[in-house]
């Protein structure tokens, strides 16, 4: 059976490689010629444990071929990106629509089309089905969302449960048979709309709970408490799972999926407010910087500020919707001397972050810990003290520093105790 995977990005290419490894004849289709040529040379920008070997194995099996035009197949799996239009805050379904139109141009009796791209509710039957119906052929269509955690992609793609949401019973069964070939997780059958909602609920649940953690962090700061200890204690309850506060929510998924969910739901209150709370956290970090500098009688204008962390979360190289960059942009309004550092991110928004911490913090008046990279947990701050400016301030937004290093003022997000010398 020949499977065409449409969209060879972060989800599509690993999917194509896993399908080839599972014994399918796989054709990967992407409109980007650079993507196609690098894959043909077994090169990839996807930095995930085990992926490079998986890709090499799939290519050497001769069951994975790639190209920049659609190819007739029995099964089509669409994994193109569905991003959020920054102005309208609505889903940009242009690439998805083009992918489905390309499939329609070669669609034949009995073909199966599977959508893995995250979409607003109702897209499968409301947008995709009509395009395929126009071909007046019997086909099968299902929405089967991916839900892999960046940094653990290969393992999760094979072991996570999968939701199989067909437009009818037969579509669900046919799609399930494909995942059955490589998926070790539970294959849960449902309809297309329920599957679309479930995927969006997963990340909206997370976004709302992060907003709760951020709001109670601000509360704790005002009350003089320690939100981190209090959350740990609350989570010792068998049915409580409060998330972690932070400098805001980054990444490609949690920053867009909740907007997809409420696209047609004007009355949303909790979800909209959660998105607002999270989006304001970088401003809260900047306010903390300004208050800390004035407490040591320093003018932010002449101060040097080092931001540790551009990646959207710990130990990944993905900078999309970076909180570190957002804080950087806000601080640049007050001082030019702001440095971005990250051990993994090579470039973002035309900025090449400093690679080494020692270099970034030289002469710094303020150091902000934004991303929870393991590298930052090992820093011996006291030994670095003389490299920094006078009365250096450490702002920890991820609860990485448990004890105030001698010679520093330590301010922790969600920690109300006054900055101590
Ligand atoms: N964050 C917090 N506090 C937390 C958890 C996360 O501030 O308690 C921040 C992180 O620092 C990061 C952002 O939120 O900036 C998103 O991090 P994440 O790990 O929650 O999200 P992703 O985008 O890496 O992965 C999520 C996962 N969804 C769920 O866990 C429900 C993943 O399983 C999904 O497959 C992925 O989104 C996706 O593809 O949608």
């Amino acid at each position: 059976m020949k499977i065409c995977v449409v969209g060879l990005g972060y989800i599509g290419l690993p999917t194509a490689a896993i399908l080839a490894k599972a014994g399918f004849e796989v054709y990967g289709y992407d409109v980007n010629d650079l993507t196609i040529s690098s894959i043909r040379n077994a090169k990839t920008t996807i930095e995930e444990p085990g992926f490079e070997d998986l890709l090499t194995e799939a290519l050497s099996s001769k069951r994975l071929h790639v190209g920049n035009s659609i190819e007739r197949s029995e099964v089509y799996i669409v994994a193109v990106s569905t991003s959020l239009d920054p102005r309208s805050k609505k889903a940009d379904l242009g690439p998805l629509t083009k992918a489905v139109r390309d499939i329609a141009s070669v669609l034949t009796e009995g073909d199966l089309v599977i959508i893995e791209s995250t979409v607003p509710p109702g897209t499968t039957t409301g947008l995709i089905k009509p395009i395929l119906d126009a071909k007046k052929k019997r086909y099968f269509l299902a929405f089967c969302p991916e839900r892999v955690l960046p940094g653990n992609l290969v393992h999760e793609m094979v072991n996570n449960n999968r939701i199989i949401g067909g437009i009818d019973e037969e579509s669900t069964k046919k799609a399930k048979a494909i995942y059955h070939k490589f998926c070790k997780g539970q294959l849960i059958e449902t309809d297309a709309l329920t599957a679309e909602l479930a995927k969006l609920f997963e990340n909206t649940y997370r976004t709302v709970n992060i907003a709760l953690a951020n709001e109670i962090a601000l509360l704790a700061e005002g009350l003089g408490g320690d939100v981190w200890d209090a959350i740990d204690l609350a989570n010792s309850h068998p049915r409580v799972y409060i998330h972690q506060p932070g400098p805001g929510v980054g990444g490609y998924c949690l920053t867009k999926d909740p907007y997809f969910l409420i696209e047609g739901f004007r009355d949303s209150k909790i979800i909209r407010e959660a998105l607002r709370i999270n989006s304001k956290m970088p401003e809260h970090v900047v306010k903390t910087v300004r208050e800390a500098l004035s407490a040591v009688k320093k003018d932010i204008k002449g101060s040097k500020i080092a931001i540790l962390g551009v990646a959207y979360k710990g130990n990944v190289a993905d900078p999309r919707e970076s909180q570190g960059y957002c804080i950087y942009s806000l601080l640049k309004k007050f001082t030019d001397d702001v440095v971005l550092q990250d051990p993994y991110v090579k470039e973002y928004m035309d900025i090449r972050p400093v690679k080494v911490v020692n270099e970034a913090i030289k002469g710094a008046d303020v150091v902000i810990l934004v991303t929870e990279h393991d590298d930052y947990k090992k820093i011996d701050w006291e030994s670095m003290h003389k490299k920094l400016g006078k009365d250096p301030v450490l702002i920890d937004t991820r609860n990485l520093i448990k004890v105030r290093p001698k010679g520093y003022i330590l301010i922790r997000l969600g920690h109300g105790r006054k900055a101590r010398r």
Side-chain angles (χ1 to χ4, degrees):
M1 178 188 283
K2 183 175 175 183
I3 299 186
C4 174
V5 176
V6 185
L8 299 176
Y10 189 78
I11 297 299
L13 184 55
T15 301
I18 287 172
L19 288 164
K21 188 177 169 189
F24 288 104
E25 187 58 37
V26 181
Y27 174 77
Y29 160 40
D30 198 293
V31 294
N32 183 319
D33 291 339
L34 206 60
T35 301
I36 297 299
S37 58
S38 57
I39 295 169
R40 284 178 176 155
N41 298 313
K43 296 264 175 295
T44 175
T45 55
I46 297 172
E47 294 176 21
E48 283 285 343
F51 177 61
E52 227 168 306
D53 296 347
L54 172 67
L55 179 63
T56 308
E57 188 183 340
L59 291 168
S60 47
S61 75
K62 302 277 179 258
R63 284 194 298 273
L64 172 59
H65 302 279
V66 295
N68 60 5
S69 57
I70 192 81
E71 258 193 22
R72 228 213 65 61
S73 310
E74 285 97 320
V75 179
Y76 300 88
I77 298 181
V78 180
V80 297
S81 68
T82 49
S83 49
L84 186 73
D85 179 293
R87 272 179 306 286
S88 66
K89 294 295 185 198
K90 289 194 179 313
D92 172 4
L93 297 180
L96 176 67
T97 307
K98 172 175 172 20
V100 176
R101 289 210 173 104
D102 288 349
I103 293 168
S105 68
V106 293
L107 193 74
T108 47
E109 262 334 281
D111 285 356
L112 167 63
V113 180
I114 295 173
I115 308 298
E116 290 203 356
S117 308
T118 302
V119 294
T123 301
T124 304
T125 49
L127 169 74
I128 296 164
K129 185 172 178 297
I131 296 172
L132 299 174
D133 283 350
K135 301 303 285 180
K136 303 207 180 322
K137 297 182 192 303
R138 173 70 174 120
Y139 64 88
F140 303 93
L141 173 62
F143 176 74
C144 307
E146 52 72 24
R147 46 227 293 244
V148 293
L149 190 71
N152 196 23
L153 179 143
V154 175
H155 173 80
E156 293 209 351
M157 199 164 265
V158 172
N159 292 284
N160 280 4
N161 299 335
R162 290 300 288 236
I163 299 171
I164 318 285
I167 58 167
D168 52 39
E169 191 61 32
E170 216 176 334
S171 297
T172 302
K173 296 288 181 217
K174 284 183 175 292
K176 187 174 181 179
I178 300 297
Y179 289 99
H180 195 65
K181 290 272 193 239
F182 69 89
C183 229
K184 296 187 182 133
Q186 229 191 316
L187 302 178
I188 308 157
E189 299 180 24
T190 185
D191 63 272
L193 176 60
T194 308
E196 290 167 340
L197 288 172
K199 168 64 187 174
L200 295 174
F201 288 176
E202 289 164 13
N203 286 342
T204 301
Y205 152 81
R206 203 158 165 77
T207 300
V208 169
N209 277 278
I210 293 165
L212 170 65
N214 287 331
E215 179 156 276
I216 57 181
L218 304 185
L219 182 75
E221 283 185 7
L223 292 172
D226 180 337
V227 76
W228 306 93
D229 288 351
I231 287 175
D232 282 350
L233 292 176
N235 286 343
S236 68
H237 185 292
R239 288 177 300 285
V240 172
Y241 171 37
I242 301 173
H243 288 27
Q244 297 291 292
V249 169
Y252 183 63
C253 311
L254 272 62
T255 51
K256 70 179 174 76
D257 291 5
Y259 283 107
F260 283 15
L261 181 61
I262 60 177
E263 205 168 271
F265 178 40
R266 304 305 313 154
D267 295 345
S268 160
K269 292 186 177 50
I270 292 178
I271 299 170
R272 282 190 202 285
E273 183 57 12
L275 288 162
R276 191 195 65 79
I277 290 169
N278 291 337
S279 70
K280 291 287 181 197
M281 290 311 285
E283 285 172 41
H284 177 69
V285 173
V286 170
K287 177 167 164 281
T288 306
V289 169
R290 299 185 66 192
E291 287 169 353
L293 282 170
S294 59
V296 291
K297 310 262 182 292
K298 284 186 182 177
D299 181 349
I300 189 166
K301 198 148 175 38
S303 300
K304 175 178 176 182
I305 301 166
I307 298 171
L308 304 191
V310 178
Y312 80 92
K313 66 180 195 178
N315 309 319
V316 301
D318 188 342
R320 286 178 292 186
E321 305 302 321
S322 158
Q323 307 90 312
Y325 177 78
C326 186
I327 292 165
Y328 169 87
S329 309
L330 292 170
L331 285 170
K332 285 292 268 184
K333 292 178 188 155
F334 302 101
T335 172
D336 282 337
D337 204 353
V338 193
V339 173
L340 274 173
Q341 184 278 338
D342 193 287
Y344 302 97
V345 174
K346 295 184 181 59
E347 184 173 345
Y348 183 60
M349 299 289 199
D350 298 330
I351 294 175
R352 300 181 67 76
V354 169
K355 196 141 178 65
V356 179
V357 171
N358 285 17
E359 204 187 302
I361 64 164
K362 245 185 236 150
D365 299 284
V366 182
V367 178
I368 314 171
L369 283 163
V370 172
T371 305
E372 67 286 17
H373 290 315
D374 287 344
D375 290 10
Y376 299 153
K377 296 170 186 167
K378 302 169 200 150
I379 296 175
D380 174 359
W381 290 103
E382 291 185 4
S383 71
M384 314 268 261
H385 181 255
K386 44 195 173 309
K387 294 181 192 297
L388 285 91
K390 184 173 166 306
D391 287 333
V393 178
L394 264 184
I395 295 178
D396 178 5
T397 70
R398 296 287 192 176
N399 196 31
L400 302 184
I401 303 177
K402 308 298 179 207
V403 178
R404 184 180 65 82
K406 242 194 341 293
Y408 292 82
I409 292 166
L410 174 63
I411 300 176
R412 294 163 59 203
L413 174 73
H415 200 263
R417 294 179 177 80
K418 286 277 162 275
R420 293 201 200 105
R421 285 186 174 281

